[in-house]
Amino acid sequence: MKSLLLYCFCFFITLNAIAQKVIVKGVVTSQNEPVENITIKILGANRFTKSNNSGTYQLSEIPFGNCDLVFSGVGYQSKRIRITLKGDTVFVNADLLSLASDLNDVVITGVNRATQLRKSPVPIAVLSKKTMDQNVNTNLIEAIVKGVPGITAVTTGPNVSKPFIRGLGYNRVLTLYDGLRQEGQQWGDEHGIEVDEYGITRAEVVKGPASLTYGSDALAGVINMIPYTPNFEDGKLKGDFTANYQSSNGMIGSSLGLAYIKNDWKYNFRATGKTAHNYQNKIDGLVYGTAFREYNLSASARVDKAWGFTKTAITYYDNLMEIPDGSRDSLSRRFTRQVLDDGDDIKNRPVVPESDLKTYSINPLHQHIQHYRFYNTSQFKFGTSDLNLMIGGQQSVRREYNHPTLPGQAGLYVVLNTFNYDLKYNLPDFAGIESTIGLNGMYQANRSKDATDFPIPDYDLFDVGAFYFAKKSMGKVDVSGGIRIDRRNIHWSDFYVGTDSQTGFGKQVSSTDATGKLQFPSFNKNYYGVSGSLGLTYNISERLLIKANIARGYRAPNITEIGSNGLDPGAHIVYLGNRTFNPEFNLQEDIGIIVYLKDAEISVELFNNNIQNYIYQSRLTDANGNPVVIVPGNLTYQYQQSKARLYGAEISVNLHPKALKWLSFNNSLAYTVGLNQNQALLDQHGGDAKYLPFIPPLQFRTEIKATAQKPVGIFDKPYIKIDAAFFADQDKFYALDNTESFTAGYTLINGGIGSALKTRKGKTICDIFLQADNIFNIAYQSNLNRLKYFEYYNRSPNGRSGIYNMGRNLSFKLIIPI
């Protein structure tokens, strides 16, 4: 009987406990509009969820009592609401305020969970589409360079910009499109990234090693280019049409984007076209070989459900781009062009007629670059944890046509196929620790097609890496870090090159061909890397915080560094690799101070980066110090490896007085020094070998902007701005074998006006931007401009050597909402 009573008592206690569970639900809004992807968390408990595309959320089986709900998400101020749980269901709605400052913005690049900027110890910068639209940009990387201190670019004309972060670039900077690593033979100098600039709504930049998350090739940092995701009312079709014109090269750009939302589905489509003739400056006039024509298509579909979301997207990039070589008439300095293969005499080429300098037609010596991308990214929610999966396929097709007597024959024709995979599992919180485990990598296959030049062999690459990442908040201190292990295998078989009896050009042949020679002996090697990071952020107050981070990066040598042995016709360089190279490893220390005042934001970032086995290019010379010429008219570079050190600082002071809300005054300074620590070279050549190549000089940017706080007629908050970019002399350069030379400093003054145009009822007619770069038409050469070194004579009549950067450039951009 006692047992029965005890059983009944326990049974009723259990029923009572079960009954005392509450469902919490509601809607998250901002300015009366629903907001998705907001995290709703019960403070002090391991319970959270996220709002869907209609702003609604639900938390089930919450015990009776009092608790605090915390709402936080991208671009919104966190909100905390105290509630009492009783009854069956409690409705809690929250209206969030958008953030005026990027300090609290939520980013996902270089980390594994959504993280507020002020909580991340890793130096991260965020660039909005609005900021990019308000600058003259000939490509997306140029927009990022102007907007983020410490970011520069090595350029080859207006359509080719290779991003550098704090003096490091090429395969040391990992570029992502919507989180998928971009693979398009980024070792090449003469082509840029394959991304539609008009389709990017946000760019996030990690400055420092991000190997923990991505493995090899993120030694210097990461640039994530995020396309537009529709977020508006259900059943609506919206979009925009962009028209863009630039004066220096006559660039005409247009882009049409459409988006549609139906129930839980979001659809997005964009088509873009750009064309330009040769750009000009007051020293060279129109620079022959710099015209281009570019097309982009993209489409995506995403569905959001209670279990998570899945998104499938496809993109296509097509670029016809001329190949400049800088050849000129020795007296008039007018550009000449190659018309012969055999018997070509650079000093006796015909002058390019004026009619060919301003045409939009692409000349026969050009490159054709195509990039195809197909990927799926999905998230699956499991209570307080979630699984994130991304798989993607890419194909990069690169053809360079450099034979004037046979213009349809590609000199270089390579096809790179890449399969990417990325799996991350965000574990349930444990003791306040948020942690992630992950596995990612790629498989690549590169094949040469019907070509005549073979700078690299056909190769296969397999990459795999696993990592663990964790972060914890302890009051004012946020700590995060993790560890990763990587393995990369690169291999290729014997690669023979012979001579085509009909054309006299080279061709790939079999090992049994009597005319063939072994250009690339077989190779098979594994590269291993251990990387990681540890950092903390100390929020001294809401207005002051300190960040510190130490990270170890890893990069396996790329294919040209270990395997190249031939002419890259587009670069006009013969590359020679080294099969004995070891992986690069670096150890970087960062410390930053951010002050968020009532009328200003001030940030100071200092870094020190020590690299083991640093790989760089150097001109090849003979025993007498004369340049080695393997292919006439082309330079010869051989890769070297040594220790290196880079250090520097970025300082930003942005003023926005509360008493003068219409005024903003933004300033930034960036300084980087790169030291070559190859002791043997330093002992032999002294100062000529002291510095690393491609290091930007000290630069300072300042912008003053006035924005009306009320509409002025049909103009909604029009603005006017003027900015200046000061670049110091670069006298710290890699001078050995004349690889680089002194670059004089210069100052560029730019300006712009713009506004949204609206009807009396508040409907936007269009956004208009009028801008000017290099207003005073200054003749200058950037030390990161490869065209500076496109010169065939020791002296010239006007004392100028190489090709100069773009002169005055006026831009008009119109964005019409649909």
PDB file of all heavy atoms in Angstrom, residues 430-444:
ATOM      1  N   PHE A 430      28.340  24.482 -23.669  1.00  0.00           N
ATOM      2  CA  PHE A 430      28.667  23.712 -22.472  1.00  0.00           C
ATOM      3  C   PHE A 430      29.467  24.616 -21.546  1.00  0.00           C
ATOM      4  O   PHE A 430      30.533  25.117 -21.923  1.00  0.00           O
ATOM      5  CB  PHE A 430      29.482  22.473 -22.824  1.00  0.00           C
ATOM      6  CG  PHE A 430      29.958  21.696 -21.625  1.00  0.00           C
ATOM      7  CD1 PHE A 430      29.079  20.919 -20.884  1.00  0.00           C
ATOM      8  CD2 PHE A 430      31.291  21.766 -21.216  1.00  0.00           C
ATOM      9  CE1 PHE A 430      29.511  20.214 -19.773  1.00  0.00           C
ATOM     10  CE2 PHE A 430      31.732  21.062 -20.107  1.00  0.00           C
ATOM     11  CZ  PHE A 430      30.838  20.283 -19.387  1.00  0.00           C
ATOM     12  N   ALA A 431      28.916  24.852 -20.367  1.00  0.00           N
ATOM     13  CA  ALA A 431      29.566  25.703 -19.368  1.00  0.00           C
ATOM     14  C   ALA A 431      29.890  27.076 -19.954  1.00  0.00           C
ATOM     15  O   ALA A 431      30.934  27.665 -19.658  1.00  0.00           O
ATOM     16  CB  ALA A 431      30.836  25.029 -18.839  1.00  0.00           C
ATOM     17  N   GLY A 432      28.998  27.578 -20.810  1.00  0.00           N
ATOM     18  CA  GLY A 432      29.192  28.887 -21.407  1.00  0.00           C
ATOM     19  C   GLY A 432      30.175  28.914 -22.565  1.00  0.00           C
ATOM     20  O   GLY A 432      30.497  29.988 -23.080  1.00  0.00           O
ATOM     21  N   ILE A 433      30.636  27.740 -22.992  1.00  0.00           N
ATOM     22  CA  ILE A 433      31.599  27.656 -24.094  1.00  0.00           C
ATOM     23  C   ILE A 433      30.854  27.339 -25.394  1.00  0.00           C
ATOM     24  O   ILE A 433      30.131  26.344 -25.470  1.00  0.00           O
ATOM     25  CB  ILE A 433      32.667  26.581 -23.830  1.00  0.00           C
ATOM     26  CG1 ILE A 433      33.459  26.914 -22.568  1.00  0.00           C
ATOM     27  CG2 ILE A 433      33.601  26.455 -25.036  1.00  0.00           C
ATOM     28  CD1 ILE A 433      34.433  25.820 -22.169  1.00  0.00           C
ATOM     29  N   GLU A 434      31.023  28.176 -26.400  1.00  0.00           N
ATOM     30  CA  GLU A 434      30.501  27.910 -27.736  1.00  0.00           C
ATOM     31  C   GLU A 434      31.628  27.303 -28.561  1.00  0.00           C
ATOM     32  O   GLU A 434      32.700  27.888 -28.676  1.00  0.00           O
ATOM     33  CB  GLU A 434      30.000  29.198 -28.394  1.00  0.00           C
ATOM     34  CG  GLU A 434      28.869  29.873 -27.642  1.00  0.00           C
ATOM     35  CD  GLU A 434      28.426  31.156 -28.318  1.00  0.00           C
ATOM     36  OE1 GLU A 434      28.879  31.418 -29.459  1.00  0.00           O
ATOM     37  OE2 GLU A 434      27.642  31.901 -27.728  1.00  0.00           O
ATOM     38  N   SER A 435      31.393  26.145 -29.146  1.00  0.00           N
ATOM     39  CA  SER A 435      32.474  25.462 -29.850  1.00  0.00           C
ATOM     40  C   SER A 435      31.995  24.898 -31.178  1.00  0.00           C
ATOM     41  O   SER A 435      30.804  24.644 -31.387  1.00  0.00           O
ATOM     42  CB  SER A 435      33.062  24.339 -28.983  1.00  0.00           C
ATOM     43  OG  SER A 435      32.054  23.422 -28.607  1.00  0.00           O
ATOM     44  N   THR A 436      32.950  24.698 -32.067  1.00  0.00           N
ATOM     45  CA  THR A 436      32.679  24.212 -33.421  1.00  0.00           C
ATOM     46  C   THR A 436      33.758  23.214 -33.812  1.00  0.00           C
ATOM     47  O   THR A 436      34.949  23.431 -33.543  1.00  0.00           O
ATOM     48  CB  THR A 436      32.683  25.374 -34.432  1.00  0.00           C
ATOM     49  OG1 THR A 436      31.717  26.349 -34.047  1.00  0.00           O
ATOM     50  CG2 THR A 436      32.362  24.882 -35.829  1.00  0.00           C
ATOM     51  N   ILE A 437      33.331  22.131 -34.437  1.00  0.00           N
ATOM     52  CA  ILE A 437      34.283  21.226 -35.074  1.00  0.00           C
ATOM     53  C   ILE A 437      33.987  21.243 -36.567  1.00  0.00           C
ATOM     54  O   ILE A 437      32.845  21.453 -36.990  1.00  0.00           O
ATOM     55  CB  ILE A 437      34.196  19.787 -34.514  1.00  0.00           C
ATOM     56  CG1 ILE A 437      32.776  19.234 -34.634  1.00  0.00           C
ATOM     57  CG2 ILE A 437      34.669  19.748 -33.067  1.00  0.00           C
ATOM     58  CD1 ILE A 437      32.669  17.767 -34.250  1.00  0.00           C
ATOM     59  N   GLY A 438      35.023  21.036 -37.363  1.00  0.00           N
ATOM     60  CA  GLY A 438      34.805  21.125 -38.800  1.00  0.00           C
ATOM     61  C   GLY A 438      35.789  20.315 -39.607  1.00  0.00           C
ATOM     62  O   GLY A 438      36.865  19.930 -39.126  1.00  0.00           O
ATOM     63  N   LEU A 439      35.404  20.048 -40.833  1.00  0.00           N
ATOM     64  CA  LEU A 439      36.236  19.329 -41.803  1.00  0.00           C
ATOM     65  C   LEU A 439      35.996  19.981 -43.157  1.00  0.00           C
ATOM     66  O   LEU A 439      34.848  20.122 -43.590  1.00  0.00           O
ATOM     67  CB  LEU A 439      35.847  17.850 -41.852  1.00  0.00           C
ATOM     68  CG  LEU A 439      36.654  16.957 -42.795  1.00  0.00           C
ATOM     69  CD1 LEU A 439      38.019  16.644 -42.194  1.00  0.00           C
ATOM     70  CD2 LEU A 439      35.900  15.652 -43.079  1.00  0.00           C
ATOM     71  N   ASN A 440      37.063  20.388 -43.835  1.00  0.00           N
ATOM     72  CA  ASN A 440      36.893  20.971 -45.162  1.00  0.00           C
ATOM     73  C   ASN A 440      38.142  20.773 -46.013  1.00  0.00           C
ATOM     74  O   ASN A 440      39.197  20.380 -45.519  1.00  0.00           O
ATOM     75  CB  ASN A 440      36.515  22.462 -45.081  1.00  0.00           C
ATOM     76  CG  ASN A 440      37.449  23.254 -44.195  1.00  0.00           C
ATOM     77  OD1 ASN A 440      38.626  22.946 -44.054  1.00  0.00           O
ATOM     78  ND2 ASN A 440      36.912  24.301 -43.579  1.00  0.00           N
ATOM     79  N   GLY A 441      37.976  21.050 -47.302  1.00  0.00           N
ATOM     80  CA  GLY A 441      39.076  20.884 -48.231  1.00  0.00           C
ATOM     81  C   GLY A 441      38.588  20.967 -49.658  1.00  0.00           C
ATOM     82  O   GLY A 441      37.498  21.472 -49.948  1.00  0.00           O
ATOM     83  N   MET A 442      39.382  20.424 -50.582  1.00  0.00           N
ATOM     84  CA  MET A 442      39.014  20.475 -51.994  1.00  0.00           C
ATOM     85  C   MET A 442      39.811  19.445 -52.780  1.00  0.00           C
ATOM     86  O   MET A 442      40.844  18.938 -52.333  1.00  0.00           O
ATOM     87  CB  MET A 442      39.265  21.868 -52.570  1.00  0.00           C
ATOM     88  CG  MET A 442      40.721  22.315 -52.555  1.00  0.00           C
ATOM     89  SD  MET A 442      40.926  23.969 -53.232  1.00  0.00           S
ATOM     90  CE  MET A 442      42.694  24.226 -52.919  1.00  0.00           C
ATOM     91  N   TYR A 443      39.284  19.157 -53.964  1.00  0.00           N
ATOM     92  CA  TYR A 443      40.012  18.356 -54.953  1.00  0.00           C
ATOM     93  C   TYR A 443      40.118  19.188 -56.222  1.00  0.00           C
ATOM     94  O   TYR A 443      39.132  19.792 -56.659  1.00  0.00           O
ATOM     95  CB  TYR A 443      39.300  17.041 -55.254  1.00  0.00           C
ATOM     96  CG  TYR A 443      39.868  16.344 -56.478  1.00  0.00           C
ATOM     97  CD1 TYR A 443      41.105  15.714 -56.420  1.00  0.00           C
ATOM     98  CD2 TYR A 443      39.184  16.369 -57.694  1.00  0.00           C
ATOM     99  CE1 TYR A 443      41.644  15.107 -57.544  1.00  0.00           C
ATOM    100  CE2 TYR A 443      39.714  15.757 -58.818  1.00  0.00           C
ATOM    101  CZ  TYR A 443      40.941  15.130 -58.740  1.00  0.00           C
ATOM    102  OH  TYR A 443      41.477  14.544 -59.861  1.00  0.00           O
ATOM    103  N   GLN A 444      41.321  19.247 -56.806  1.00  0.00           N
ATOM    104  CA  GLN A 444      41.538  20.010 -58.026  1.00  0.00           C
ATOM    105  C   GLN A 444      42.203  19.152 -59.090  1.00  0.00           C
ATOM    106  O   GLN A 444      43.027  18.277 -58.783  1.00  0.00           O
ATOM    107  CB  GLN A 444      42.443  21.217 -57.770  1.00  0.00           C
ATOM    108  CG  GLN A 444      41.759  22.409 -57.173  1.00  0.00           C
ATOM    109  CD  GLN A 444      42.657  23.628 -57.134  1.00  0.00           C
ATOM    110  OE1 GLN A 444      43.882  23.528 -57.241  1.00  0.00           O
ATOM    111  NE2 GLN A 444      42.056  24.803 -56.968  1.00  0.00           N
TER     112      GLN A 444
END
